[in-house]
Amino acid sequence: MNIRENLEQLEVDYLSPYAAHSRNSRGRLREEEQCDIRPVYQRDRDRILHSKSFRRLKDKTQVFLTPEGDHYRTRLTHTLEVSQNARTIAKALRMNEDLVEAIALGHDLGHTPFGHAGERALNEVCPYGFCHSEQSVRTIDLLEKGGAGLNLTMEVRDGIRNHQTKGMPYTLEGRIVRFSDKIAYIHHDMDDAVRAGILKESDVPREIGDVIGYTTGERLDHFIHDLVTTSYGKEDIQMSEPVAKAMQKLRRFMFERVYENKEAKSEEGKAEILMQTLYSYYRKRLEHLPDDFKKLIHKGEPEEKVVCDYIGAMTDRFAIAKYEEIYIPKSWHG
């Protein structure tokens, strides 16, 4: 046996019977020769980590638009926190860490600049709609590597597509990431809101704090421990009922106090106008799109989708720079 086959056998010998074993993957969109060192999910993780869309996450908004402080989360740091939460849970449950890491690192590759404000803006103007989880799959299937895509496994693609609340991945590893995403953003968005002076730790209602703790660290620890102890030895990933209800209440609290906070979201209207203005501009001037995106149109991809592909892939800074380049007059230098 080569190194990859030895690693695959180790999975069979050690992982939970409910884990997704690499040797049993449903395969890729396009068949390709196996690596002699790395199992399939490890290869997927590496492809995501080295992709351009992954690197762009460092300059995309998480909650606070283009924050000036050094310690606010970005879409990249959110992704890394999701990955670490998921790996901790997967290791405790003897699930496939390579698979959860690949799904976690890839789950937001299709996210727009300016967070959910950018997503809302494109969803309103594009006749095909726009959803970042579907766009993440489109990114790995079609947009990466000049249109060739990353050709990831079905399990990773399914986990990425179904990481939001409305989805349900068919692997337990995908379900771990689905929970880990919520745990991560509730944890770090509250931490950032406290840093921004929008919240105080003491603002968390007692009915929530008595169940899951009164600090961000206590809550993160409680969520992960509860998920592990409730799911251990079972063919599903679950939280206990009291903790699940407390999480729902905390999420509603965050929407009321942070996600819909007028002060925190004061610039989002401008961001939405910027995104929709760029969409209108490129929709009428397809010749100004980069060559890779023009090729997609020539291959038969709908023009509206390709314009969203380009604008949705931008970082916050690049989108602002493009808007200024197109619409803001420059000083004359004679």
Side-chain angles (χ1 to χ4, degrees):
M1 291 195 294
N2 61 27
I3 293 172
R4 169 183 54 79
E5 291 167 334
N6 276 319
L7 291 173
E8 290 173 344
Q9 186 58 48
L10 284 173
E11 290 181 2
V12 173
D13 294 340
Y14 174 73
L15 294 183
S16 163
Y18 306 124
H21 295 168
S22 300
R23 66 167 57 167
N24 296 331
S25 170
R26 299 185 186 183
R28 305 180 183 277
L29 292 177
R30 300 183 304 279
E31 189 174 346
E32 59 182 61
E33 187 177 348
Q34 288 265 39
C35 176
D36 61 341
I37 296 176
R38 296 169 298 165
V40 289
Y41 304 135
Q42 188 178 343
R43 292 184 81 187
D44 285 2
R45 178 205 62 196
D46 294 350
R47 290 178 185 186
I48 291 168
L49 192 64
H50 292 293
S51 68
K52 290 179 179 177
S53 50
F54 182 79
R55 295 196 292 276
R56 287 196 298 270
L57 295 176
K58 72 181 187 297
D59 282 324
K60 291 194 177 189
T61 287
Q62 173 57 27
V63 171
F64 297 96
L65 266 64
T66 56
E68 293 186 0
D70 290 338
H71 302 121
Y72 289 99
R73 270 70 170 196
T74 65
R75 190 63 56 178
L76 178 59
T77 58
H78 160 73
T79 294
L80 296 176
E81 291 185 40
V82 173
S83 176
Q84 190 54 53
N85 291 344
R87 288 187 60 198
T88 297
I89 297 163
K91 184 181 283 292
L93 296 177
R94 289 189 295 126
M95 293 293 157
N96 194 314
E97 281 188 70
D98 289 338
L99 178 54
V100 296
E101 189 173 21
I103 296 170
L105 293 179
H107 82 282
D108 269 354
L109 292 182
H111 226 302
T112 58
F114 312 117
H116 289 284
E119 183 175 16
R120 284 195 304 270
L122 291 184
N123 186 54
E124 287 176 7
V125 295
C126 181
Y128 295 93
F130 190 96
C131 172
H132 79 270
S133 55
E134 290 294 335
Q135 189 67 14
S136 293
V137 177
R138 183 171 168 84
T139 299
I140 59 178
D141 284 352
L142 183 67
L143 305 183
E144 273 291 337
K145 298 181 70 174
L150 300 180
N151 197 31
L152 303 185
T153 57
M154 300 302 176
E155 292 76 16
V156 173
R157 295 174 67 254
D158 169 75
I160 290 172
R161 172 174 279 118
N162 291 296
H163 77 268
Q164 293 179 273
T165 302
K166 62 184 179 182
M168 182 56 70
Y170 63 76
T171 65
L172 298 196
E173 286 82 358
R175 297 178 194 183
I176 288 172
V177 174
R178 182 172 171 269
F179 270 109
S180 298
D181 182 37
K182 296 178 183 62
I183 292 170
Y185 72 66
I186 289 173
H187 166 255
H188 62 54
D189 291 352
M190 180 168 287
D191 186 48
D192 280 354
V194 170
R195 178 173 292 105
I198 293 170
L199 283 180
K200 300 187 296 293
E201 292 279 12
S202 58
D203 291 337
V204 177
R206 181 172 292 277
E207 62 175 325
I208 297 173
D210 285 349
V211 178
I212 56 176
Y214 283 94
T215 69
T216 54
E218 287 176 356
R219 286 187 291 271
L220 178 63
D221 186 68
H222 203 105
F223 283 143
I224 290 176
H225 273 82
D226 183 80
L227 202 60
V228 169
T229 56
T230 307
S231 305
Y232 197 86
K234 297 178 182 176
E235 197 174 0
D236 198 6
I237 305 299
Q238 302 170 327
M239 279 184 171
S240 66
E241 186 175 349
V243 172
K245 287 183 177 178
M247 175 185 258
Q248 291 171 356
K249 290 177 181 177
L250 184 59
R251 190 169 178 269
R252 286 196 294 269
F253 171 79
M254 288 294 290
F255 267 94
E256 293 169 3
R257 298 293 298 274
V258 179
Y259 303 138
E260 297 172 357
N261 181 288
K262 291 183 179 179
E263 181 182 355
K265 299 298 182 179
S266 60
E267 299 296 299
E268 282 196 351
K270 297 177 186 177
E272 291 181 25
I273 292 171
L274 183 152
M275 292 287 286
Q276 293 177 346
T277 303
L278 287 178
Y279 176 86
S280 298
Y281 176 85
Y282 286 106
R283 184 68 189 85
K284 297 172 183 176
R285 300 169 181 83
L286 298 174
E287 69 277 8
H288 291 176
L289 291 171
D291 289 343
D292 284 349
F293 294 91
K294 292 178 190 174
K295 289 177 184 175
L296 291 175
I297 295 174
H298 293 154
K299 289 180 180 178
E301 289 294 320
E303 295 173 357
E304 298 91 343
K305 275 194 174 185
V306 175
V307 171
C308 283
D309 291 336
Y310 179 49
I311 299 169
M314 293 178 177
T315 63
D316 293 17
R317 288 190 299 176
F318 188 79
I320 292 170
K322 273 294 173 188
Y323 183 89
E324 290 178 345
E325 176 188 316
I326 295 168
Y327 291 105
I328 305 301
K330 296 179 178 61
S331 300
W332 169 253
H333 296 285

